[in-house]
Every structure is written in C-alpha cells, then in structure tokens.
C-alpha cells in the first residue's frame, strides 16, 4: 500500500505540489500571525517592566496601545506633587505612527529626559540627551536592529527627519524618545501630555497613594503601571476573535485544497479503482489508500509551512523590526489544522471512490 501511495504522489507532481502549498499556506498563516501577536505582547511587557513609576495618571480613554490622545494638562504635575506619598511626577506624550519602514507602527515618547531617566533608572550609553525639536534618543535594541548610531537620521511623523543624539539603556517603553517640548511642538499641543508617571516615595505604598490621588483629583484615570501594559491581545480590539477566525480559515483552505486535488485525482483514477475492486479490494482498503495519501501530502505541507513561517518571521524581523515568538500551543494547533484539514478534505472523495461500481469503473474512459 505504501508503494502505491508514494507512486500516486510522484505520478502527478504538480497537483501534489499545489496540495502541499495549500496546506503549507494555512499552517504558515497561523504560525506567523500568532507568533507576531505573542512577540509584540511579550516585547511590550518586557520593555514596560523597566518602568520604575508605580502609577500612571491620565484622562479616561488616553491609555490605548493603538492610539494616543494628548488631552492632559501638564499643570497636573504640580497638583500631583502636593499629594502625600508622591516622590516624583514626570509628564509624557505617547504618539503612534506608521513605522518608517512602511510596515507596522512606531511608538514615540516625548519626555523631559533627566527626570525620566532618574525616575526609571535608565542612562545614556552614548551621546547626549535630545534637546532640539529635531533630535531623538533611541534604545540599544533599536540601534542594533536598525544599524543606527549617534548622528544617524531617522524619519518620524511621516517623512520628517530627526537626528539621533544618544543611545540609552535599558529599554523602557517606546524605543524612540524626544523631549517633551519637541513632541508638543510636533503635535501642536503646548502644555499638554498623554499621561503622567507617578513614583511613590515609599515602596509598597502605591495603593494608598493612588487612593489619595483619586480623592484629591477626581474624574481622572489612575492605574498601576503593571496593569496598563498587560498584553497586546487585550489592547487591540477583537484581536483574539481575529486569530480564531484566521485559524478557521486556515483549516478551511487546507481542507478545500486537498479535497479538490483528491477529487480530481480520483476522477482520473476511476479505472485504477475499478481494477482494485475487481481484485477484491474492500471499501475500507480504498478509503485507507486515499486517506493515507492525503495525510502524507498534509504532513509534507505541515513541514513546509513551519519552515516558511520561521523563515518569514526571521526576514520580517530583520527588515521591519517586528518581534515574533512562537509557542508550542499554536504550533500544535497549526499541526492539527494541517493534518485534520487534509484528512477531512479527502474523506468525501475517498468515500465516493469506495462506492464506485467495479464494472462501471472498468468501462470508464
């Protein structure tokens, strides 16, 4: 039986390659999209974990991963500093724009560097702080991945050039930072910010300080930093639903491609099936031959899909800087999709072949 299965695949190489490509496409899509969501989520959480401020003070609706609003007056800094237990307060503007590489998005933060660096224990490893309206700082990861150095020019806010004046470490929040005044100038939002980082004077007092802030400045949104950057899946609306729909579409594509290929193959092999039945082959034997052929094609497609996903993720990371992290759970899901889709897709053609009348099949032209 095994020789018959491999011979059938070799006899029609083009159709077999198309079937393999269909299965590989579904597998690769699942791995790439879920790997991207997981990578972005973990990368965001890792960078955000370096913030030393325990509280973020903002207006309702300002803290979103995919959008930002500069609707908070920087005058709140003075009011916040009057609250008992507050050690420092640093205003920040977050701006999200299309990446300069034309794919994905770039998060840019405007802060006064000295108080921000002191609060969050970050430091310059090269160069100096950004001062002019066309100067920026970048972290070591962006400098390495983008092959950037002090003096390099990057484009932000569309095509506006900005010169890199310094590189900082460790990474903390958005990889690109400029002065608060420069960001306010770029967004035409003088005296405004997106939120204010609040660091407590005493460790472990964030709950009490948050309550005092809420009582002293009601109507604002007060969140703990550890809760704000929870995950990309929670921050992007309907991302979880999108991934489930993607998985369903991948399974459907795999099943339909294999079904079409096997159905056409069975039509061409009608006489061969008739010969097998005349020689005493049972319905189960014929179904088994066709299903094993579909599973072999699906297994090859599964391997190809994994290779394409890994290579694609590596190339996208090198070119666009997006982060991919692959997990065993989604890898197993992709494997089930590839194999189950192929098996289910071949089931109808297999049953149809098994039910062919031997005499009619032998007379088929």
């Amino acid at each position: 039986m095994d020789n018959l299965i491999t011979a059938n695949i070799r006899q029609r190489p083009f159709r077999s390659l198309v079937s393999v490509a269909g299965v590989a496409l579904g597998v690769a899509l699942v791995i790439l999209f879920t790997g991207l969501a997981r990578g972005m989520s973990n990368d965001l959480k890792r960078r955000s974990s370096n913030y030393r401020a325990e509280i973020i003070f903002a207006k309702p609706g300002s803290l979103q991963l995919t959008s930002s609003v500069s609707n908070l007056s920087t005058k709140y800094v003075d009011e916040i500093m009057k609250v008992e237990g507050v050690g420092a307060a640093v205003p920040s503007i977050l701006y999200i724009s299309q990446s300069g590489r034309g794919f994905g998005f770039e998060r840019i933060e405007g802060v006064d560097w000295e108080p921000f660096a002191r609060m969050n224990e970050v430091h310059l490893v090269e160069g100096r702080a950004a001062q002019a309206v066309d100067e920026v700082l970048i972290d070591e990861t962006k400098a390495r991945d983008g092959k950037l150095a002090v003096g390099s020019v990057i484009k932000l806010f569309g095509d506006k050039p900005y010169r890199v004046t310094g590189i900082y470490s460790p990474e903390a929040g958005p990889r690109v930072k400029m002065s608060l005044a420069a960001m306010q100038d770029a967004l035409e939002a003088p005296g405004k910010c997106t939120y204010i980082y609040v660091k407590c004077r005493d460790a472990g007092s964030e709950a009490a300080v948050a309550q005092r802030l809420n009582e002293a400045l009601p109507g604002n949104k007060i969140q703990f930093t550890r809760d704000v950057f929870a995950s990309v899946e929670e921050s992007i609306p309907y991302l979880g639903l999108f991934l489930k729909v993607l998985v369903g579409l991948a399974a459907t594509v795999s099943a339909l491609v294999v079904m079409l290929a096997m159905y056409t193959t069975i039509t061409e092999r009608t006489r061969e099936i008739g010969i097998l039945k005349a020689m005493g082959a049972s319905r189960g034997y014929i179904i088994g031959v066709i299903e094993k052929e579909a599973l072999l094609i699906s297994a090859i497609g599964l391997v190809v899909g994994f290779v394409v996903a890994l290579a694609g993720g590596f190339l996208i990371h090198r070119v666009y800087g997006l982060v991919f992290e692959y997990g065993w759970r989604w890898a197993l899901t992709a494997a089930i999709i590839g194999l189950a889709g192929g098996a289910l897709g071949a089931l109808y053609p297999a049953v149809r072949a098994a039910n062919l009348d031997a005499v009619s099949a032998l007379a088929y032209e």
Side-chain angles (χ1 to χ4, degrees):
M1 181 187 289
D2 294 339
N3 291 335
L4 178 61
I5 293 169
T6 55
N8 287 336
I9 293 176
R10 291 196 303 269
Q11 185 179 358
R12 296 168 176 82
F14 181 75
R15 183 173 295 129
S16 298
L17 285 174
V18 171
S19 301
V20 167
V23 175
L25 175 63
V27 171
L29 284 176
V30 172
I31 295 296
L32 281 173
F33 276 96
T34 56
L36 177 60
R38 180 185 176 90
M40 289 176 62
S41 176
N42 290 339
D43 179 59
L44 178 63
K45 286 190 289 186
R46 182 174 58 252
R47 284 186 277 145
S48 300
S49 67
N50 289 328
Y51 283 128
R52 296 296 180 262
E54 297 91 351
I55 297 172
I56 292 182
F57 181 94
K59 288 290 185 183
S62 296
L63 295 173
Q64 299 292 333
L65 175 67
T66 54
S67 63
S68 60
V69 180
S70 303
N71 59 355
L72 182 67
S73 173
T74 54
K75 293 180 179 179
Y76 274 101
V77 172
D78 295 333
E79 299 299 320
I80 291 172
M81 290 299 299
K82 296 176 182 177
V83 175
E84 181 184 352
V86 173
V90 177
S92 167
I93 292 184
L94 177 66
Y95 180 77
I96 293 129
S97 68
Q98 184 178 358
S99 171
R101 298 179 181 182
F103 186 78
F105 58 87
E106 183 85 65
R107 301 173 75 239
I108 311 163
E109 186 172 32
V111 291
D112 291 324
W113 176 253
E114 292 300 330
F116 175 84
R118 188 166 52 252
M119 171 185 284
N120 296 292
E121 300 176 12
V122 297
H123 61 277
L124 291 172
V125 294
E126 282 186 60
R128 59 171 177 80
Q131 298 172 350
V133 294
D134 61 347
E135 296 178 344
V136 295
L137 295 170
I138 59 175
D139 66 18
E140 287 183 306
T141 301
K142 186 171 182 66
R144 182 183 65 249
D145 293 346
K147 296 181 174 56
L148 300 171
V150 174
S152 298
V153 175
I154 61 176
K155 291 185 177 181
L156 304 171
F157 304 100
D159 292 324
K160 188 175 180 180
Y162 284 79
R163 186 167 62 90
V164 176
T165 63
I167 299 172
Y168 68 90
S169 178
E171 54 190 11
R175 300 192 183 282
V176 179
K177 300 190 188 300
M178 62 175 62
S179 70
L180 180 63
M183 181 70 85
Q184 290 171 336
D185 179 74
L187 300 180
E188 298 180 354
K192 298 292 185 180
C193 62
T194 304
Y195 43 72
I196 298 172
Y197 297 112
V198 179
K199 184 171 180 60
C200 301
R201 186 178 296 113
D202 300 318
S205 63
E206 55 266 26
V209 172
Q211 183 176 355
R212 294 190 199 110
L213 283 170
N214 193 43
E215 293 172 354
L217 302 167
N220 297 290
K221 188 163 188 172
I222 299 168
Q223 287 185 273
F224 297 119
T225 306
R226 61 177 179 267
D227 298 331
V228 172
F229 306 103
S231 70
V232 171
E233 291 89 342
E234 296 174 1
S235 301
I236 298 180
Y238 305 112
L239 178 60
L241 177 61
F242 169 76
L243 292 177
K244 292 177 182 178
V245 171
L246 176 67
V247 170
L249 288 176
T252 302
V253 168
S254 299
L256 289 178
V257 169
V258 173
M259 178 185 292
L260 180 60
M262 298 306 296
Y263 186 87
T264 306
T265 299
I266 288 167
T267 301
E268 295 176 352
R269 296 176 185 168
T270 300
R271 285 178 61 84
E272 299 172 20
I273 294 170
I275 293 172
L276 286 174
K277 299 199 75 170
M279 293 175 63
S282 64
R283 295 175 69 252
Y285 178 85
I286 293 173
I287 291 175
V289 169
I290 296 171
E291 283 290 340
K292 286 187 177 180
E293 180 178 342
L295 286 173
L296 179 57
I297 289 173
S298 298
I300 297 172
L302 179 63
V303 174
V304 173
F306 275 115
V307 172
V308 169
L310 292 174
F314 175 77
L315 291 175
I316 292 174
H317 174 70
R318 290 295 299 271
V319 175
Y320 297 107
L322 298 179
V323 180
F324 287 83
E325 289 188 17
Y326 305 107
W328 284 109
R329 183 172 69 89
W330 282 110
L332 180 61
T333 300
I336 293 173
I337 286 173
L339 296 176
L344 292 174
L347 185 59
Y348 170 71
V351 173
R352 181 178 179 275
N355 290 330
L356 286 175
D357 179 71
V359 175
S360 300
L362 288 170
Y364 180 83
E365 295 294 338

